Amino acid sequence: MKQIFEGKSVKRIAKRTPGGNLTYHYRKRKIKDATCSGCGAKLHGVPRLRTKQLAKLPKTKRRPERIYGGALCPSCVVEKIKNKLMVTTNDNSSN
Amino acid sequence: MTTAAIEVGRVCVKTKGRDAGKYCVITGIVDNSFVTISGPKKLNGIKTKKCNATHLVYTEKKIDIKEKAKDDEIEAAVESANLSDIIKNGLKL
């Protein structure tokens, strides 16, 4: 996608070249927070980096050490566990 | 469904932490809010440790062990109750 250099969200920084001329460098846009795919809450433990910088980090620093870490918030995980337990006990009692 | 109580030998599921979704066994009671649990470690990797009682969900299953039993005795009791497969595989979410 073509980069847009106008507007308030694009940060423009003035720099001086070795020849004495003035040029502008443009900073890249910042990434938004990761959100829970179930309820939309903001997730902790996921750094706000672009994909190439995220790939350089070790795997344990990209997401928390929990099932569905980096995808679901902890309260959604607790709901999933409770629903699964209710289903298994109801199956046993019906059989 | 009968109400399950916090007691030694009760099988429950952890809901929080790195061990969320795994089965564990209560081996002792510390005070109003804390209990000691164990996997046992050879079956699913949960060591003997202290844990908050609100981070557990209780099931209807129970095994017969003494308080502060060691891992060998817990494994033997789990084998005789035919629960070792369930504890090994865990809840498949």
Side-chain angles (χ1 to χ4, degrees):
Chain A
M1 203 178 121
K2 195 178 172 187
Q3 200 171 7
I4 303 167
F5 289 135
E6 291 175 359
K8 280 185 195 171
S9 60
V10 177
K11 203 171 175 188
R12 194 172 76 162
I13 295 164
K15 292 219 160 196
R16 186 81 53 180
T17 62
N21 302 322
L22 194 70
T23 54
Y24 291 105
H25 283 197
Y26 294 93
R27 288 264 184 252
K28 308 251 182 197
R29 290 178 198 273
K30 196 147 194 203
I31 299 288
K32 289 186 198 172
D33 270 331
T35 51
C36 172
S37 58
C39 61
K42 284 190 182 175
L43 291 176
H44 301 289
V46 183
R48 296 174 65 179
L49 294 173
R50 299 181 137 250
T51 38
K52 279 191 180 174
Q53 291 160 344
L54 204 63
K56 289 182 182 176
L57 292 176
K59 187 175 170 185
T60 55
K61 293 193 179 174
R62 293 183 222 152
R63 64 183 179 32
E65 287 272 349
R66 186 180 57 236
I67 50 168
Y68 295 105
L72 288 182
C73 66
S75 40
C76 288
V77 170
V78 170
E79 268 188 53
K80 262 204 162 185
I81 293 176
K82 286 188 177 174
N83 289 339
K84 181 79 182 186
L85 267 184
M86 295 285 282
V87 164
T88 50
T89 52
N90 284 341
D91 281 348
N92 286 341
S93 65
S94 66
N95 287 343
Chain B
M1 251 175 69
T2 56
T3 53
I6 305 176
E7 49 194 356
V8 176
R10 175 69 58 189
V11 177
C12 31
V13 178
K14 269 212 94 181
T15 60
K16 296 202 176 179
R18 56 168 72 234
D19 305 320
K22 292 187 184 175
Y23 282 93
C24 60
V25 172
I26 295 181
T27 59
I29 299 174
V30 178
D31 61 18
N32 286 344
S33 32
F34 288 98
V35 294
T36 50
I37 58 164
S38 178
K41 190 180 174 190
K42 283 195 180 168
L43 291 185
N44 64 1
I46 299 181
K47 307 178 190 175
T48 354
K49 55 172 127 178
K50 196 170 78 165
C51 134
N52 195 328
T54 54
H55 296 174
L56 298 170
V57 175
Y58 309 105
T59 64
E60 289 172 334
K61 295 167 186 161
K62 196 178 166 194
I63 61 171
D64 200 16
I65 51 168
K66 283 190 251 181
E67 194 170 347
K68 293 187 186 174
K70 302 223 166 172
D71 266 5
D72 315 335
E73 299 158 21
I74 303 177
E75 274 181 48
V78 161
E79 267 288 328
S80 61
N82 298 326
L83 291 176
S84 45
D85 277 342
I86 292 174
I87 292 185
K88 249 193 227 176
N89 299 335
L91 271 182
K92 298 216 168 161
L93 291 176

